[in-house]
Every structure is written in structure tokens, then in C-alpha cells.
Amino acid sequence: DAKTTQPPSMDCAEGRAANLPCNHSTISGNEYVYWYRQIHSQGPQYIIHGLKNNETNEMASLIITEDRKSSTLILPHATLRDTAVYYCIVGSGNQFYFGTGTSLTVIP
Amino acid sequence: GAVVSQHPSWVICKSGTSVKIECRSLDFQATTMFWYRQFPKQSLMLMATSNEGSKATYEQGVEKDKFLINHASLTLSTLTVTSAHPEDSSFYICSALGDRGNYEQYFGPGTRLTVT
């Protein structure tokens, strides 16, 4: 499975949009991009996933570049409860290999 | 929908004993489940892939005789840590592959194991 690179940490002001980048330059054609987040001492929570097209759901938007080598997760109006570690994973329906993720801190 | 539970949520055991952790998919059938381990301030590490009715596939470096996995039904996988030692203390998390064909994994809440 392709590896991902994310910044180790980010801050975001409450109410503002949080944009979390992810590089996955070795992604292959049948691999999806998944985003999960983990709040301390809990299991990861699914956020969104996509293959080629941009996706939006009630939690977030996922923007995938045309060459699929990078993506951005957008939390449109960050709240304090969005403080968590966010993982970008690429895979094709089998094992997930987690990277180190981005620790997002939403600041009041 | 797509809820995965784990039991127990936390357990303390003595060194040398064995501990069994259950992972259940509550409202869907999961032919494939995964087991992860997470040490403090680290990311999740995949330990093994569990397929219903067949032997689990272990990741490199994971001792199959120490971490016994059984996936006897479409809704239950178990991880048994045998002859536990303090270095096995960790957060164990399972996930189940969804049955909607979108390759989504649903994670359990995790089990905190402390070996004294």
C-alpha cells in the first residue's frame, strides 16, 4: 500500500476552516484515500474517503488533486471537539497501514 | 449502523497469564477483521488480518503463537494474548471491513491491557 506524509501538528482557530494536507505520491490507480481521526484513548473514527472525485459529507470535505498524489481534508467550521489526531490512509480494501498523522488542536 | 464493539474495554492481568479480547460487529457481517496495537503517543500498528473460517495473517514481527486470533463467525473475532508480560501492555484496537463494497473499515473503541 502507498505511504502517506502528513504534517505532525497544526492549530486552527475555533470556527475557522481546518485544512489538513496529505501527500501520497505513490498511490496506485485502485487505491482509495481514507481519512480517520482518533480522539485520545478511543478507536479511530471514520471521516470520509474518495477515489478520484472530491467528496463531501456532514463531517468534512475531501479534495483530491487531479494526479491523485495529494489530498486535503477540510473541516469547514472547526470546533473544540475536533481536536484529535487525523490520519490519512491509502488502500484498496484490505490492510490499513497508519502513518503518524496530524495532531490538530482547535484553539478557542 | 456499522458499529463494532470490543470487550473488555480495559483489563489488568498478572504476568504469565492469558487474556482474551473480543471484537464484534453488531449490525453487519464482517468476513475480514483486523487487529491493531497502539503504544502511548504512537500510531496504530497493524498486527494481523483475520478472515472468517481461516487462519489469520500476521504482520512481520508479530508472534503468532503469542497473539492467537480466532475468527469463528461473521460477527466475532477474538485476540488472546498468551503468557502476557509487562511489555505487552498496550491499547488493542480491532476493526471490521464493511459489507457495503466501499472498503471502509469500522473500528472498535479499543481495549486497554495492563500487565503487572
Side-chain angles (χ1 to χ4, degrees):
Chain A
D1 287 349
K3 291 186 178 178
T4 62
T5 303
Q6 299 177 252
S9 64
M10 291 181 66
D11 292 339
C12 177
E14 187 178 17
R16 304 297 293 269
N19 297 278
L20 290 87
C22 180
N23 286 324
H24 31 80
S25 58
T26 59
I27 191 170
S28 60
N30 64 342
E31 289 184 314
Y32 288 78
V33 180
Y34 300 85
W35 282 84
Y36 284 79
R37 71 182 182 185
Q38 186 179 29
I39 296 170
H40 182 63
S41 293
Q42 296 182 26
Q45 177 191 20
Y46 168 81
I47 302 173
I48 200 167
H49 77 284
L51 184 63
K52 293 181 183 178
N53 300 323
N54 298 338
E55 302 287 344
T56 295
N57 63 20
E58 63 278 4
M59 288 183 69
S61 295
L62 173 61
I63 308 298
I64 303 174
T65 58
E66 193 169 341
D67 62 8
R68 302 211 319 128
K69 293 184 176 182
S70 65
S71 61
T72 301
L73 177 74
I74 301 173
L75 307 178
H77 306 287
T79 70
L80 299 179
R81 288 181 296 180
D82 291 323
T83 293
V85 178
Y86 287 76
Y87 294 102
C88 166
I89 307 162
V90 292
S92 54
N94 219 325
Q95 294 90 345
F96 278 179
Y97 295 100
F98 282 75
T100 52
T102 295
S103 178
L104 175 69
T105 301
V106 180
I107 302 169
Chain B
V3 178
V4 175
S5 71
Q6 283 185 240
H7 177 80
S9 55
W10 60 271
V11 58
I12 301 172
C13 72
K14 293 191 174 182
S15 187
T17 62
S18 296
V19 173
K20 179 185 285 188
I21 302 170
E22 293 185 348
C23 176
R24 294 181 185 274
S25 57
L26 297 186
D27 50 2
F28 67 103
Q29 294 185 330
T31 55
T32 304
M33 289 183 170
F34 304 91
W35 287 96
Y36 297 82
R37 180 168 54 181
Q38 186 175 32
F39 293 108
K41 298 189 185 299
Q42 294 187 23
S43 186
L44 284 77
M45 185 194 79
L46 179 66
M47 298 175 67
T49 302
S50 167
N51 290 299
E52 187 265 339
S54 63
K55 290 184 178 181
T57 303
Y58 291 82
E59 295 295 306
Q60 191 171 6
V62 178
E63 300 174 60
K64 61 179 68 174
D65 294 330
K66 180 167 185 63
F67 299 100
L68 301 179
I69 292 172
N70 184 284
H71 193 159
S73 79
L74 288 173
T75 59
L76 173 65
S77 176
T78 60
L79 168 69
T80 301
V81 183
T82 63
S83 186
H85 291 289
E87 57 265 30
D88 298 322
S89 298
S90 187
F91 193 49
Y92 291 88
I93 307 169
C94 73
S95 71
L97 197 60
D99 59 357
R100 293 185 288 181
N102 59 1
Y103 306 127
E104 192 175 314
Q105 285 192 27
Y106 303 99
F107 286 82
T111 296
R112 174 76 57 192
L113 170 64
T114 301
V115 184
T116 61

